[in-house]
Short mmCIF file of all heavy atoms in Angstrom, two decimals:
data_model
loop_
_atom_site.label_atom_id
_atom_site.label_comp_id
_atom_site.label_asym_id
_atom_site.label_seq_id
_atom_site.Cartn_x
_atom_site.Cartn_y
_atom_site.Cartn_z
N MET A 1 10.06 11.63 1.85
CA MET A 1 9.93 10.67 2.90
C MET A 1 9.37 9.27 2.24
O MET A 1 8.68 9.34 1.39
CB MET A 1 9.00 11.09 3.80
CG MET A 1 8.81 10.06 5.02
SD MET A 1 7.58 10.55 6.25
CE MET A 1 5.98 9.84 5.29
N LYS A 2 10.06 8.20 2.78
CA LYS A 2 9.58 6.86 2.24
C LYS A 2 9.36 6.09 3.53
O LYS A 2 10.05 6.08 4.59
CB LYS A 2 10.64 6.19 1.59
CG LYS A 2 10.53 6.30 0.02
CD LYS A 2 11.62 5.36 -0.61
CE LYS A 2 11.93 5.88 -1.96
NZ LYS A 2 13.01 5.12 -2.59
N LYS A 3 8.30 5.18 3.57
CA LYS A 3 8.07 4.25 4.63
C LYS A 3 7.89 2.90 4.06
O LYS A 3 7.36 2.70 2.92
CB LYS A 3 6.81 4.64 5.40
CG LYS A 3 7.08 5.72 6.40
CD LYS A 3 5.96 5.81 7.47
CE LYS A 3 6.34 6.73 8.62
NZ LYS A 3 5.39 6.75 9.68
N THR A 4 8.30 1.92 4.80
CA THR A 4 8.15 0.53 4.38
C THR A 4 7.34 -0.30 5.24
O THR A 4 7.56 -0.21 6.54
CB THR A 4 9.57 -0.14 4.16
OG1 THR A 4 10.43 0.62 3.37
CG2 THR A 4 9.54 -1.48 3.67
N TYR A 5 6.45 -1.15 4.73
CA TYR A 5 5.68 -1.94 5.51
C TYR A 5 5.85 -3.45 4.97
O TYR A 5 5.66 -3.62 3.75
CB TYR A 5 4.16 -1.63 5.33
CG TYR A 5 3.83 -0.22 5.77
CD1 TYR A 5 3.96 0.87 4.87
CD2 TYR A 5 3.41 0.03 7.21
CE1 TYR A 5 3.68 2.16 5.46
CE2 TYR A 5 3.12 1.33 7.58
CZ TYR A 5 3.33 2.41 6.74
OH TYR A 5 3.11 3.76 7.15
N SER A 6 6.21 -4.46 5.66
CA SER A 6 6.37 -5.68 5.07
C SER A 6 6.05 -6.83 6.03
O SER A 6 5.90 -6.66 7.18
CB SER A 6 7.97 -5.79 4.71
OG SER A 6 8.75 -5.64 5.96
N LYS A 7 5.86 -7.90 5.42
CA LYS A 7 5.62 -9.11 6.07
C LYS A 7 6.04 -10.34 5.21
O LYS A 7 6.36 -9.95 3.89
CB LYS A 7 4.29 -9.42 6.49
CG LYS A 7 3.18 -9.50 5.38
CD LYS A 7 1.84 -9.85 5.83
CE LYS A 7 0.82 -10.07 4.82
NZ LYS A 7 -0.63 -10.37 5.28
N GLU A 8 6.01 -11.56 5.46
CA GLU A 8 6.44 -12.60 4.50
C GLU A 8 5.56 -12.53 3.19
O GLU A 8 4.40 -12.57 3.30
CB GLU A 8 6.32 -13.91 5.25
CG GLU A 8 6.99 -14.96 4.32
CD GLU A 8 7.13 -16.30 4.98
OE1 GLU A 8 6.90 -16.37 6.19
OE2 GLU A 8 7.34 -17.28 4.34
N GLY A 9 6.23 -12.37 2.01
CA GLY A 9 5.59 -12.42 0.72
C GLY A 9 5.33 -11.08 0.17
O GLY A 9 4.90 -11.01 -0.90
N VAL A 10 5.52 -9.99 0.95
CA VAL A 10 5.23 -8.70 0.26
C VAL A 10 5.93 -7.63 1.12
O VAL A 10 6.05 -7.73 2.47
CB VAL A 10 3.64 -8.42 0.33
CG1 VAL A 10 3.15 -8.31 1.79
CG2 VAL A 10 3.36 -7.17 -0.40
N LYS A 11 6.45 -6.75 0.34
CA LYS A 11 6.96 -5.51 0.99
C LYS A 11 6.39 -4.23 0.13
O LYS A 11 6.51 -4.16 -0.98
CB LYS A 11 8.56 -5.41 0.79
CG LYS A 11 9.18 -4.18 1.44
CD LYS A 11 10.52 -4.05 0.85
CE LYS A 11 11.73 -4.45 1.89
NZ LYS A 11 12.99 -4.14 1.17
N VAL A 12 5.69 -3.30 0.87
CA VAL A 12 5.20 -2.16 0.48
C VAL A 12 6.08 -0.89 0.72
O VAL A 12 6.19 -0.71 1.94
CB VAL A 12 3.79 -1.97 0.93
CG1 VAL A 12 3.06 -0.68 0.35
CG2 VAL A 12 2.90 -3.16 0.48
N ILE A 13 6.29 -0.18 -0.33
CA ILE A 13 7.07 1.10 -0.12
C ILE A 13 6.03 2.30 -0.47
O ILE A 13 5.44 2.27 -1.40
CB ILE A 13 8.25 1.23 -0.96
CG1 ILE A 13 9.23 0.05 -0.63
CG2 ILE A 13 8.99 2.53 -0.65
CD1 ILE A 13 10.36 -0.17 -1.70
N TRP A 14 6.04 3.09 0.58
CA TRP A 14 5.02 4.24 0.48
C TRP A 14 5.77 5.54 0.41
O TRP A 14 6.57 5.91 1.31
CB TRP A 14 3.99 4.14 1.78
CG TRP A 14 3.31 5.41 2.12
CD1 TRP A 14 3.33 5.96 3.34
CD2 TRP A 14 2.38 6.09 1.39
NE1 TRP A 14 2.47 7.07 3.39
CE2 TRP A 14 1.94 7.07 2.24
CE3 TRP A 14 1.86 5.97 0.09
CZ2 TRP A 14 0.92 8.00 1.70
CZ3 TRP A 14 0.91 6.84 -0.42
CH2 TRP A 14 0.50 7.85 0.32
N GLU A 15 5.47 6.31 -0.69
CA GLU A 15 6.10 7.59 -0.87
C GLU A 15 4.85 8.71 -0.84
O GLU A 15 4.31 8.84 -2.04
CB GLU A 15 6.95 7.65 -2.05
CG GLU A 15 8.31 7.20 -1.94
CD GLU A 15 9.19 7.57 -3.13
OE1 GLU A 15 9.60 8.76 -3.21
OE2 GLU A 15 9.39 6.65 -4.01
N PRO A 16 4.56 9.30 0.23
CA PRO A 16 3.31 10.13 0.33
C PRO A 16 3.46 11.23 -0.77
O PRO A 16 2.43 11.74 -1.29
CB PRO A 16 3.33 10.60 1.79
CG PRO A 16 4.63 10.22 2.22
CD PRO A 16 5.17 9.12 1.55
N ASP A 17 4.63 11.81 -1.04
CA ASP A 17 4.76 13.02 -2.04
C ASP A 17 4.24 12.65 -3.31
O ASP A 17 3.83 13.62 -4.04
CB ASP A 17 6.18 13.46 -1.92
CG ASP A 17 6.63 14.16 -0.66
OD1 ASP A 17 5.89 14.37 0.15
OD2 ASP A 17 7.87 14.24 -0.47
N LYS A 18 4.21 11.43 -3.59
CA LYS A 18 3.87 10.96 -5.03
C LYS A 18 2.36 10.80 -5.10
O LYS A 18 1.79 10.62 -6.22
CB LYS A 18 4.56 9.77 -5.50
CG LYS A 18 6.05 9.97 -5.71
CD LYS A 18 6.51 8.74 -6.26
CE LYS A 18 8.04 8.85 -6.63
NZ LYS A 18 8.62 7.56 -7.13
N CYS A 19 1.57 10.62 -3.99
CA CYS A 19 0.24 10.33 -3.99
C CYS A 19 -0.71 11.33 -4.62
O CYS A 19 -0.50 12.60 -4.43
CB CYS A 19 -0.27 10.00 -2.49
SG CYS A 19 -1.93 9.58 -2.51
N ILE A 20 -1.52 10.91 -5.54
CA ILE A 20 -2.45 11.87 -6.27
C ILE A 20 -3.94 11.71 -5.73
O ILE A 20 -4.86 12.06 -6.32
CB ILE A 20 -2.36 11.74 -7.90
CG1 ILE A 20 -2.72 10.23 -8.30
CG2 ILE A 20 -0.97 12.23 -8.38
CD1 ILE A 20 -2.87 10.18 -9.70
N HIS A 21 -4.02 10.93 -4.66
CA HIS A 21 -5.32 10.76 -4.03
C HIS A 21 -6.45 10.26 -4.84
O HIS A 21 -7.52 10.78 -4.88
CB HIS A 21 -5.83 12.09 -3.32
CG HIS A 21 -4.66 12.82 -2.53
ND1 HIS A 21 -4.25 12.19 -1.37
CD2 HIS A 21 -3.76 13.73 -2.77
CE1 HIS A 21 -3.28 12.91 -0.81
NE2 HIS A 21 -3.00 13.95 -1.75
N SER A 22 -6.02 9.26 -5.62
CA SER A 22 -6.98 8.63 -6.64
C SER A 22 -8.00 7.90 -5.90
O SER A 22 -9.01 7.55 -6.40
CB SER A 22 -6.21 7.74 -7.53
OG SER A 22 -5.74 6.66 -6.82
N THR A 23 -7.70 7.48 -4.69
CA THR A 23 -8.56 6.54 -3.85
C THR A 23 -8.76 5.09 -4.22
O THR A 23 -9.43 4.33 -3.67
CB THR A 23 -10.12 7.10 -3.60
OG1 THR A 23 -10.85 6.95 -4.73
CG2 THR A 23 -10.14 8.69 -3.26
N ILE A 24 -7.88 4.80 -5.36
CA ILE A 24 -7.92 3.38 -5.83
C ILE A 24 -7.51 2.37 -4.66
O ILE A 24 -8.15 1.48 -4.53
CB ILE A 24 -7.03 3.30 -6.97
CG1 ILE A 24 -7.66 3.99 -8.22
CG2 ILE A 24 -6.77 1.75 -7.35
CD1 ILE A 24 -6.74 4.14 -9.41
N CYS A 25 -6.46 2.72 -4.01
CA CYS A 25 -6.11 1.69 -3.09
C CYS A 25 -7.06 1.52 -2.01
O CYS A 25 -7.32 0.33 -1.66
CB CYS A 25 -4.72 2.11 -2.42
SG CYS A 25 -4.72 3.68 -1.60
N PHE A 26 -7.60 2.48 -1.37
CA PHE A 26 -8.52 2.18 -0.23
C PHE A 26 -9.95 1.79 -0.69
O PHE A 26 -10.69 1.25 0.09
CB PHE A 26 -8.56 3.31 0.86
CG PHE A 26 -8.68 4.78 0.41
CD1 PHE A 26 -9.81 5.37 0.40
CD2 PHE A 26 -7.50 5.52 0.06
CE1 PHE A 26 -9.98 6.66 0.15
CE2 PHE A 26 -7.70 6.91 -0.23
CZ PHE A 26 -8.91 7.43 -0.29
N HIS A 27 -10.39 1.95 -1.90
CA HIS A 27 -11.52 1.34 -2.32
C HIS A 27 -11.31 -0.03 -2.75
O HIS A 27 -12.13 -0.95 -2.64
CB HIS A 27 -12.20 2.13 -3.47
CG HIS A 27 -12.82 3.38 -3.07
ND1 HIS A 27 -12.73 4.65 -3.77
CD2 HIS A 27 -13.58 3.65 -2.07
CE1 HIS A 27 -13.35 5.55 -3.09
NE2 HIS A 27 -13.97 4.91 -2.16
N GLY A 28 -10.10 -0.36 -3.34
CA GLY A 28 -9.90 -1.72 -3.69
C GLY A 28 -9.55 -2.73 -2.54
O GLY A 28 -10.04 -3.87 -2.63
N LEU A 29 -8.87 -2.21 -1.51
CA LEU A 29 -8.53 -3.12 -0.44
C LEU A 29 -8.54 -2.32 0.98
O LEU A 29 -7.47 -2.05 1.48
CB LEU A 29 -7.01 -3.62 -0.59
CG LEU A 29 -6.70 -5.00 -0.05
CD1 LEU A 29 -7.63 -6.03 -0.43
CD2 LEU A 29 -5.26 -5.26 -0.38
N PRO A 30 -9.81 -2.04 1.49
CA PRO A 30 -9.92 -1.17 2.57
C PRO A 30 -9.47 -1.82 3.92
O PRO A 30 -9.03 -1.12 4.83
CB PRO A 30 -11.41 -0.88 2.79
CG PRO A 30 -12.05 -1.89 1.84
CD PRO A 30 -11.03 -2.35 0.72
N GLU A 31 -9.23 -3.16 3.83
CA GLU A 31 -8.66 -3.81 5.04
C GLU A 31 -7.23 -3.52 5.31
O GLU A 31 -6.74 -3.59 6.34
CB GLU A 31 -8.75 -5.29 4.90
CG GLU A 31 -10.17 -5.86 4.33
CD GLU A 31 -10.16 -5.98 2.83
OE1 GLU A 31 -10.16 -4.95 2.22
OE2 GLU A 31 -10.16 -7.04 2.31
N VAL A 32 -6.62 -3.00 4.16
CA VAL A 32 -5.22 -2.77 4.37
C VAL A 32 -4.99 -1.21 4.27
O VAL A 32 -4.16 -0.56 4.97
CB VAL A 32 -4.39 -3.52 3.18
CG1 VAL A 32 -2.93 -3.03 3.18
CG2 VAL A 32 -4.36 -5.01 3.43
N PHE A 33 -5.62 -0.62 3.31
CA PHE A 33 -5.35 0.90 3.10
C PHE A 33 -6.57 1.73 3.55
O PHE A 33 -7.66 1.65 3.06
CB PHE A 33 -5.18 1.15 1.63
CG PHE A 33 -4.08 0.26 0.94
CD1 PHE A 33 -4.40 -0.83 0.30
CD2 PHE A 33 -2.71 0.67 1.15
CE1 PHE A 33 -3.28 -1.57 -0.30
CE2 PHE A 33 -1.56 -0.07 0.80
CZ PHE A 33 -1.98 -1.17 -0.09
N ASN A 34 -6.28 2.32 4.74
CA ASN A 34 -7.38 3.02 5.42
C ASN A 34 -6.70 4.35 5.89
O ASN A 34 -6.18 4.43 6.95
CB ASN A 34 -7.84 2.35 6.59
CG ASN A 34 -9.26 2.86 7.21
OD1 ASN A 34 -9.38 4.20 6.96
ND2 ASN A 34 -9.88 2.26 7.89
N PRO A 35 -7.11 5.41 5.05
CA PRO A 35 -6.37 6.69 5.53
C PRO A 35 -7.03 7.28 6.83
O PRO A 35 -6.34 8.26 7.26
CB PRO A 35 -6.86 7.69 4.32
CG PRO A 35 -7.87 6.96 3.54
CD PRO A 35 -7.86 5.51 3.98
N SER A 36 -7.98 6.82 7.38
CA SER A 36 -8.47 7.46 8.67
C SER A 36 -7.76 6.61 9.83
O SER A 36 -8.04 7.04 11.01
CB SER A 36 -9.93 7.26 8.72
OG SER A 36 -10.37 5.95 8.81
N LYS A 37 -6.89 5.71 9.57
CA LYS A 37 -6.19 5.02 10.62
C LYS A 37 -4.68 5.37 10.65
O LYS A 37 -4.24 5.73 9.62
CB LYS A 37 -6.35 3.49 10.48
CG LYS A 37 -7.74 3.06 10.77
CD LYS A 37 -7.83 1.50 11.03
CE LYS A 37 -9.18 1.12 11.56
NZ LYS A 37 -9.30 -0.28 11.42
N ARG A 38 -3.99 5.17 11.73
CA ARG A 38 -2.56 5.39 11.81
C ARG A 38 -2.07 4.21 12.54
O ARG A 38 -2.42 3.75 13.56
CB ARG A 38 -2.26 6.65 12.65
CG ARG A 38 -2.63 7.94 12.02
CD ARG A 38 -1.79 8.25 10.83
NE ARG A 38 -2.25 9.50 10.09
CZ ARG A 38 -3.23 9.52 9.17
NH1 ARG A 38 -3.82 8.45 8.67
NH2 ARG A 38 -3.56 10.75 8.56
N PRO A 39 -0.94 3.53 11.82
CA PRO A 39 -0.58 3.80 10.36
C PRO A 39 -1.61 3.54 9.42
O PRO A 39 -2.58 2.61 9.70
CB PRO A 39 0.59 2.96 10.34
CG PRO A 39 0.42 1.75 11.12
CD PRO A 39 -0.35 2.35 12.39
N TRP A 40 -1.65 3.99 8.32
CA TRP A 40 -2.85 4.03 7.39
C TRP A 40 -2.62 2.63 6.62
O TRP A 40 -3.72 2.20 5.89
CB TRP A 40 -2.94 5.22 6.47
CG TRP A 40 -2.14 5.19 5.29
CD1 TRP A 40 -0.66 5.49 5.32
CD2 TRP A 40 -2.34 4.95 3.88
NE1 TRP A 40 -0.27 5.40 3.96
CE2 TRP A 40 -1.16 5.02 3.16
CE3 TRP A 40 -3.55 4.58 3.24
CZ2 TRP A 40 -1.32 4.88 1.75
CZ3 TRP A 40 -3.50 4.39 1.85
CH2 TRP A 40 -2.51 4.49 1.16
N ILE A 41 -1.51 2.07 6.62
CA ILE A 41 -1.34 0.82 5.94
C ILE A 41 -1.30 -0.35 6.96
O ILE A 41 -0.47 -0.32 7.81
CB ILE A 41 -0.17 0.69 5.02
CG1 ILE A 41 -0.26 1.73 3.99
CG2 ILE A 41 0.11 -0.72 4.58
CD1 ILE A 41 0.86 2.01 2.96
N ASN A 42 -2.22 -1.31 7.00
CA ASN A 42 -2.21 -2.42 7.94
C ASN A 42 -1.75 -3.59 7.17
O ASN A 42 -2.61 -4.29 6.41
CB ASN A 42 -3.61 -2.52 8.38
CG ASN A 42 -3.75 -3.99 9.20
OD1 ASN A 42 -2.69 -4.48 9.64
ND2 ASN A 42 -4.86 -4.47 9.45
N ILE A 43 -0.62 -3.96 7.18
CA ILE A 43 -0.01 -5.01 6.23
C ILE A 43 -0.56 -6.38 6.62
O ILE A 43 -0.43 -7.28 5.94
CB ILE A 43 1.64 -4.99 6.26
CG1 ILE A 43 2.28 -5.71 5.15
CG2 ILE A 43 2.09 -5.54 7.78
CD1 ILE A 43 2.29 -4.87 3.94
N GLU A 44 -1.01 -6.36 7.78
CA GLU A 44 -1.63 -7.71 8.20
C GLU A 44 -3.13 -7.89 7.77
O GLU A 44 -3.72 -8.89 8.06
CB GLU A 44 -1.60 -7.90 9.82
CG GLU A 44 -0.17 -7.79 10.28
CD GLU A 44 0.69 -8.91 9.83
OE1 GLU A 44 0.20 -9.99 9.32
OE2 GLU A 44 1.89 -8.66 9.83
N GLY A 45 -3.62 -6.91 7.12
CA GLY A 45 -5.02 -6.81 6.76
C GLY A 45 -5.54 -7.81 5.70
O GLY A 45 -6.70 -7.93 5.46
N ALA A 46 -4.63 -8.33 4.85
CA ALA A 46 -4.89 -9.14 3.75
C ALA A 46 -3.78 -10.14 3.36
O ALA A 46 -2.67 -9.77 3.96
CB ALA A 46 -5.31 -8.31 2.53
N ARG A 47 -4.08 -10.95 2.55
CA ARG A 47 -2.96 -12.05 2.13
C ARG A 47 -1.99 -11.20 1.22
O ARG A 47 -2.36 -10.22 0.55
CB ARG A 47 -3.47 -13.12 1.37
CG ARG A 47 -4.38 -14.09 2.07
CD ARG A 47 -4.89 -15.16 1.19
NE ARG A 47 -5.83 -14.64 0.11
CZ ARG A 47 -5.57 -14.72 -1.07
NH1 ARG A 47 -4.44 -15.31 -1.55
NH2 ARG A 47 -6.24 -14.19 -2.03
N ALA A 48 -0.81 -11.61 1.24
CA ALA A 48 0.38 -10.90 0.52
C ALA A 48 0.02 -10.78 -0.85
O ALA A 48 0.20 -9.77 -1.46
CB ALA A 48 1.79 -11.74 0.73
N GLU A 49 -0.52 -11.84 -1.51
CA GLU A 49 -0.88 -11.81 -3.01
C GLU A 49 -1.83 -10.61 -3.28
O GLU A 49 -1.72 -9.84 -4.27
CB GLU A 49 -1.43 -13.08 -3.41
CG GLU A 49 -1.61 -13.16 -4.80
CD GLU A 49 -2.36 -14.59 -5.07
OE1 GLU A 49 -2.41 -15.47 -4.31
OE2 GLU A 49 -2.80 -14.69 -6.40
N ALA A 50 -2.91 -10.49 -2.39
CA ALA A 50 -3.92 -9.48 -2.60
C ALA A 50 -3.27 -8.06 -2.65
O ALA A 50 -3.55 -7.18 -3.26
CB ALA A 50 -5.23 -9.56 -1.68
N ILE A 51 -2.40 -7.98 -1.51
CA ILE A 51 -1.85 -6.74 -1.29
C ILE A 51 -0.90 -6.33 -2.55
O ILE A 51 -0.84 -5.17 -3.06
CB ILE A 51 -0.91 -6.67 0.05
CG1 ILE A 51 -1.85 -6.72 1.15
CG2 ILE A 51 -0.13 -5.45 0.12
CD1 ILE A 51 -1.08 -7.03 2.42
N ARG A 52 -0.12 -7.36 -3.10
CA ARG A 52 0.75 -7.07 -4.20
C ARG A 52 -0.14 -6.68 -5.31
O ARG A 52 0.39 -5.59 -6.15
CB ARG A 52 1.52 -8.26 -4.57
CG ARG A 52 2.70 -8.68 -3.74
CD ARG A 52 3.60 -9.60 -4.20
NE ARG A 52 3.09 -10.80 -4.75
CZ ARG A 52 2.89 -11.87 -3.99
NH1 ARG A 52 3.27 -12.03 -2.75
NH2 ARG A 52 2.36 -13.01 -4.52
N GLU A 53 -1.24 -7.24 -5.66
CA GLU A 53 -2.12 -6.93 -6.81
C GLU A 53 -2.54 -5.49 -6.61
O GLU A 53 -2.67 -4.74 -7.58
CB GLU A 53 -3.21 -7.88 -6.95
CG GLU A 53 -2.87 -9.20 -7.39
CD GLU A 53 -1.93 -9.15 -8.74
OE1 GLU A 53 -2.40 -8.50 -9.65
OE2 GLU A 53 -0.82 -9.72 -8.66
N GLN A 54 -3.04 -5.11 -5.42
CA GLN A 54 -3.64 -3.85 -5.19
C GLN A 54 -2.43 -2.72 -5.35
O GLN A 54 -2.64 -1.67 -6.00
CB GLN A 54 -4.05 -3.61 -3.82
CG GLN A 54 -4.98 -2.33 -3.52
CD GLN A 54 -6.04 -2.22 -4.62
OE1 GLN A 54 -6.86 -3.12 -4.64
NE2 GLN A 54 -6.03 -1.10 -5.31
N VAL A 55 -1.22 -2.96 -4.92
CA VAL A 55 -0.14 -1.98 -4.94
C VAL A 55 0.16 -1.79 -6.49
O VAL A 55 0.40 -0.56 -6.85
CB VAL A 55 1.16 -2.43 -4.27
CG1 VAL A 55 2.42 -1.82 -4.72
CG2 VAL A 55 0.87 -2.36 -2.67
N LYS A 56 -0.05 -2.71 -7.29
CA LYS A 56 0.30 -2.51 -8.88
C LYS A 56 -0.68 -1.63 -9.45
O LYS A 56 -0.48 -1.10 -10.50
CB LYS A 56 0.25 -3.96 -9.47
CG LYS A 56 1.39 -4.89 -9.15
CD LYS A 56 1.36 -6.14 -9.89
CE LYS A 56 2.32 -7.14 -9.39
NZ LYS A 56 1.93 -8.55 -9.79
N ASN A 57 -1.88 -1.46 -8.76
CA ASN A 57 -2.89 -0.67 -9.35
C ASN A 57 -2.76 0.91 -9.13
O ASN A 57 -3.52 1.64 -9.47
CB ASN A 57 -4.30 -1.20 -8.89
CG ASN A 57 -4.65 -2.41 -9.67
OD1 ASN A 57 -4.24 -2.71 -10.65
ND2 ASN A 57 -5.51 -3.06 -8.98
N CYS A 58 -1.83 1.23 -8.14
CA CYS A 58 -1.56 2.51 -7.78
C CYS A 58 -1.11 3.39 -9.12
O CYS A 58 0.00 3.06 -9.63
CB CYS A 58 -0.50 2.74 -6.67
SG CYS A 58 -0.17 4.37 -6.26
N PRO A 59 -1.78 4.41 -9.45
CA PRO A 59 -1.44 5.07 -10.73
C PRO A 59 -0.22 6.04 -10.64
O PRO A 59 0.32 6.57 -11.55
CB PRO A 59 -2.68 5.80 -10.97
CG PRO A 59 -3.35 6.10 -9.76
CD PRO A 59 -3.05 4.94 -8.85
N SER A 60 0.23 6.34 -9.53
CA SER A 60 1.14 7.39 -9.22
C SER A 60 2.60 6.91 -8.93
O SER A 60 3.52 7.73 -9.03
CB SER A 60 0.70 8.41 -8.19
OG SER A 60 0.73 7.75 -6.92
N GLY A 61 2.68 5.67 -8.42
CA GLY A 61 3.95 5.17 -7.99
C GLY A 61 4.08 5.56 -6.50
O GLY A 61 5.13 5.21 -5.97
N ALA A 62 3.16 6.14 -5.87
CA ALA A 62 3.20 6.31 -4.38
C ALA A 62 3.27 5.01 -3.55
O ALA A 62 4.08 4.98 -2.64
CB ALA A 62 2.02 7.20 -3.84
N LEU A 63 2.62 3.98 -4.09
CA LEU A 63 2.89 2.61 -3.58
C LEU A 63 3.67 1.73 -4.60
O LEU A 63 3.40 1.78 -5.76
CB LEU A 63 1.37 2.06 -3.32
CG LEU A 63 0.47 2.61 -2.34
CD1 LEU A 63 -0.90 1.97 -2.57
CD2 LEU A 63 1.04 2.42 -0.98
N MET A 64 4.59 1.22 -4.05
CA MET A 64 5.39 0.41 -4.79
C MET A 64 5.79 -0.97 -3.98
O MET A 64 5.79 -0.93 -2.74
CB MET A 64 6.80 1.14 -5.11
CG MET A 64 6.62 2.22 -6.20
SD MET A 64 7.99 2.95 -6.50
CE MET A 64 8.45 3.82 -5.05
N LEU A 65 6.15 -1.99 -4.75
CA LEU A 65 6.47 -3.19 -4.20
C LEU A 65 8.05 -3.12 -4.01
O LEU A 65 8.75 -2.58 -4.82
CB LEU A 65 6.15 -4.34 -5.05
CG LEU A 65 4.68 -4.49 -5.23
CD1 LEU A 65 4.39 -5.62 -6.27
CD2 LEU A 65 4.01 -4.99 -3.91
N GLY A 66 8.57 -3.74 -2.96
CA GLY A 66 9.94 -3.92 -2.71
C GLY A 66 10.55 -4.79 -3.78
O GLY A 66 9.87 -5.60 -4.52
N ASP A 67 11.79 -4.71 -3.81
CA ASP A 67 12.73 -5.45 -4.85
C ASP A 67 12.37 -7.11 -4.97
O ASP A 67 12.33 -7.53 -5.98
CB ASP A 67 14.21 -5.33 -4.75
CG ASP A 67 14.50 -3.93 -4.83
OD1 ASP A 67 13.80 -3.12 -5.58
OD2 ASP A 67 15.55 -3.41 -4.39
N ASP A 68 12.16 -7.60 -3.76
CA ASP A 68 12.04 -9.05 -3.74
C ASP A 68 10.72 -9.55 -3.96
O ASP A 68 10.31 -10.67 -4.01
CB ASP A 68 12.47 -9.66 -2.41
CG ASP A 68 11.90 -8.73 -1.11
OD1 ASP A 68 11.47 -7.66 -1.50
OD2 ASP A 68 12.05 -9.26 -0.01
N ASP A 69 9.77 -8.61 -4.46
CA ASP A 69 8.44 -9.06 -4.92
C ASP A 69 8.44 -9.05 -6.57
O ASP A 69 7.43 -8.89 -7.17
CB ASP A 69 7.30 -8.14 -4.54
CG ASP A 69 7.24 -8.11 -2.97
OD1 ASP A 69 7.25 -9.33 -2.38
OD2 ASP A 69 7.30 -7.01 -2.26
S1 SF4 B 101 -3.82 4.39 -5.14
FE1 SF4 B 101 -1.74 5.36 -5.06
S2 SF4 B 101 -2.23 7.46 -5.77
FE2 SF4 B 101 -4.21 6.53 -5.26
S3 SF4 B 101 -4.62 7.06 -3.19
FE3 SF4 B 101 -3.58 5.07 -3.14
S4 SF4 B 101 -1.42 5.76 -2.82
FE4 SF4 B 101 -2.43 7.48 -3.59
#
């Protein structure tokens, strides 16, 4: 399964099967990545640039940037 969350300047692709539960994303940017909420990714929670930087820190590839980023 893949889900996509996007707004101007950023597109996040989420592949839950790849997640190794490192917690890096929700410690780094809790305004956007919050596993206790549904949907757990709030794309409006931070600036596009901050989201892009956080996605790049995902160690497993569960979070990826869309092609146009
Ligand atoms: S940073 Fe990546 S691997 Fe870690 S919890 Fe978030 S999505 Fe999963």
Side-chain angles (χ1 to χ4, degrees):
M1 184 190 81
K2 264 189 203 179
K3 282 198 166 182
T4 302
Y5 302 85
S6 61
K7 67 176 179 179
E8 189 168 347
V10 65
K11 181 200 254 182
V12 176
I13 299 164
W14 161 236
E15 274 192 75
D17 292 347
K18 290 186 178 176
C19 180
I20 56 171
H21 309 289
S22 68
T23 77
I24 288 171
C25 57
F26 48 93
H27 284 137
L29 203 58
E31 315 90 293
V32 174
F33 303 102
N34 184 341
S36 64
K37 289 196 173 168
R38 292 291 176 270
W40 83 284
I41 295 177
N42 171 20
I43 200 76
E44 302 299 337
R47 289 181 300 117
E49 185 184 347
I51 297 172
R52 286 200 305 272
E53 288 307 309
Q54 189 60 55
V55 166
K56 287 178 192 169
N57 289 331
C58 174
S60 68
L63 292 172
M64 287 179 294
L65 293 171
D67 292 338
D68 42 351
D69 297 313

